[in-house]
Amino acid sequence: MGDQAKLSAGDQTADFAVLKGSVGPDVVDIRKLYADTGMFTFDPGFTSTASCESALTYIDGEEGVLLHRGYPIGQLAESSSFMEVSYLLLNGELPSQQEMTDFNYTISRHTMVHEQLLQFYKGFRRDAHPMAVMCGVVGALSAFYHDSTDISDPEHRRISSHRLIAKMPTIAAAAYKFAIGQPFLYPDNSLSYTGNFLRMTFGVPAEEYELHPAVERAMDRIFILHADHEQNASTSTVRLAGSSGANPFACIAAGIACLWGPAHGGANEAALNMLREIGTPDKIPHYIERAKDKDDPFRLMGFGHRVYKNYDPRATVMQSTVREVLDALKVDDPLFETALQLEEIALNDDYFAEKKLFPNVDFYSGIILSAIGFPTTMFTVLFALARTVGWVAQWNEMISDPGQKIGRPRQLYTGPVQRDYVPLEKR
Ligand code: SDX
């Protein structure tokens, strides 16, 4: 018999199995708690709840460790590519050279979208937030690809997964082009996944687009850093939507909507806007005090994390990538100095130290993306583009789980107990 956990409440006691993963905290299996005790657990925000079993990504928040299928994020960011990490997340192992060639070929054959889908953009205002466009256009994909929405068919799941990964760069680039009034560019499959995206975004029909190798490498690394992250809010949204049997296109659209929030994927846009508001390092102390003031809703965007109570390993890579890109582009962005000093001051402040608030993946990314030429409104779109492979891999893992069932949490009800209706004339 493995470890057991005992719950005693009033005159009741109940025993529960303790389950062990390959690494990380054990879990108490409470699936029969309600049946045995008539009680629920109560965990708003799921601070102590494991919602599923997964073999994709492991995070040790205390140590600042992030592994994808066992491989440390720092090694993947240094030595891998976004397409290789995508293959790893989807298939569980690093690809052989032939497997990598085949995967690149497969993805490149799905980069175009149905011509009618491009009509959707015309329905938006030019000043629509690109994330609003992404929610609409990605949600509409299921209206075009009926031949891959049967989630019980592994071949449908495979094709729809590849379609989503392959089409996100085309859809994201079109959202940017629409916003700035430039024509859409079709994919060029002679380029890498990331190079293709950069050309569709910044290229114009009037001339050849010259890819900057350092920019292509930095963009690819940023995609790697955003690929997957365990059961974060948007991934949990995708899993919950998928648990009802919704098609994968609709599930990913739900994930995009959740990612948009400033507490989650919207933080990269909010972090750069915050750095611009702070401006020069002499203003930092004022904003640090605001962040500590309970009566002030201001938070240091790009700081803090539900899981990391140490430095987010992705922020470490991101910070070194800032220098690479600014040097390569010969850009001198004073906001980088402001960000470095803000980090330094915050990490030496008791408030941030006690609450274990460190820079997260969103703190430095905006400086790089801005240097490359993206407007802040595109930052979360780029996060969604990269996270699509994680959402798709997590969705596939859930659908393939024989024990999978619809997610349906309960509640602690605090409303009125039963009472009788009173006719209007008697009120
Ligand atoms: C992402 O889950 C993931 O993995 C997400 C992500 C991924 O890859 O999918 O990593 C991507 O979303 C990164 C996080 C991006 N968000 C931000 O940078 C927004 C700013 N940070 C926060 O709002 C906050 O830190 C969260 C939302 C990220 C985490 O919030 P928690 O875990 O619910 O913690 P909390 O809000 O309860 O904060 C704990 C305490 C509070 O103080 P007390 O009420 O205990 O006195 O820390 C304080 C908070 O006020 N706090 C901050 C702060 N973040 C938390 N104070 C000032 N500035 C901050 N940034």
Side-chain angles (χ1 to χ4, degrees), residues 45 47 59 225-226 228-235 259 261-268 270-271 290-292 294 298-309 312 314 351-352 355-358 360-363 383 387:
T47 51
I59 303 172
L225 295 177
H226 288 83
D228 190 50
H229 212 240
E230 196 204 73
Q231 305 311 317
N232 58 86
S234 54
T235 297
L259 186 75
H264 188 17
N268 51 16
R290 282 193 58 192
K292 292 156 62 173
K294 281 280 156 258
F298 174 80
R299 284 194 166 183
L300 283 189
M301 301 315 280
F303 260 77
H305 199 278
R306 171 61 59 75
V307 177
Y308 289 121
K309 301 310 172 189
D312 182 335
R314 301 169 296 175
Y351 173 91
F352 294 89
K355 294 184 187 295
K356 297 185 178 179
L357 302 173
F358 292 86
N360 59 48
V361 67
D362 295 311
F363 187 60
F383 196 149
R387 186 53 59 87

Side-chain angles (χ1 to χ4, degrees), residues 262-263 267-268 270-275 278 283-293 296-305 338-339 341-349 351-353 357-360 362-363:
N268 51 16
L272 194 73
N273 290 337
M274 174 192 74
L275 288 171
I278 293 172
K283 302 281 191 342
I284 291 173
H286 168 67
Y287 283 89
I288 292 279
E289 288 316 305
R290 282 193 58 192
K292 292 156 62 173
D293 179 355
D296 188 332
F298 174 80
R299 284 194 166 183
L300 283 189
M301 301 315 280
F303 260 77
H305 199 278
T338 302
Q341 290 200 33
L342 174 58
E343 175 189 335
E344 172 76 18
I345 294 170
L347 295 190
N348 287 294
D349 184 295
Y351 173 91
F352 294 89
L357 302 173
F358 292 86
N360 59 48
D362 295 311
F363 187 60

Side-chain angles (χ1 to χ4, degrees), residues 311-338:
Y311 213 95
D312 182 335
R314 301 169 296 175
T316 308
V317 179
M318 206 65 90
Q319 189 192 92
S320 60
T321 305
V322 173
R323 288 193 192 286
E324 272 178 48
V325 171
L326 295 186
D327 291 350
L329 296 177
K330 298 182 178 45
V331 167
D332 175 24
D333 186 348
L335 287 183
F336 184 37
E337 187 50 37
T338 302

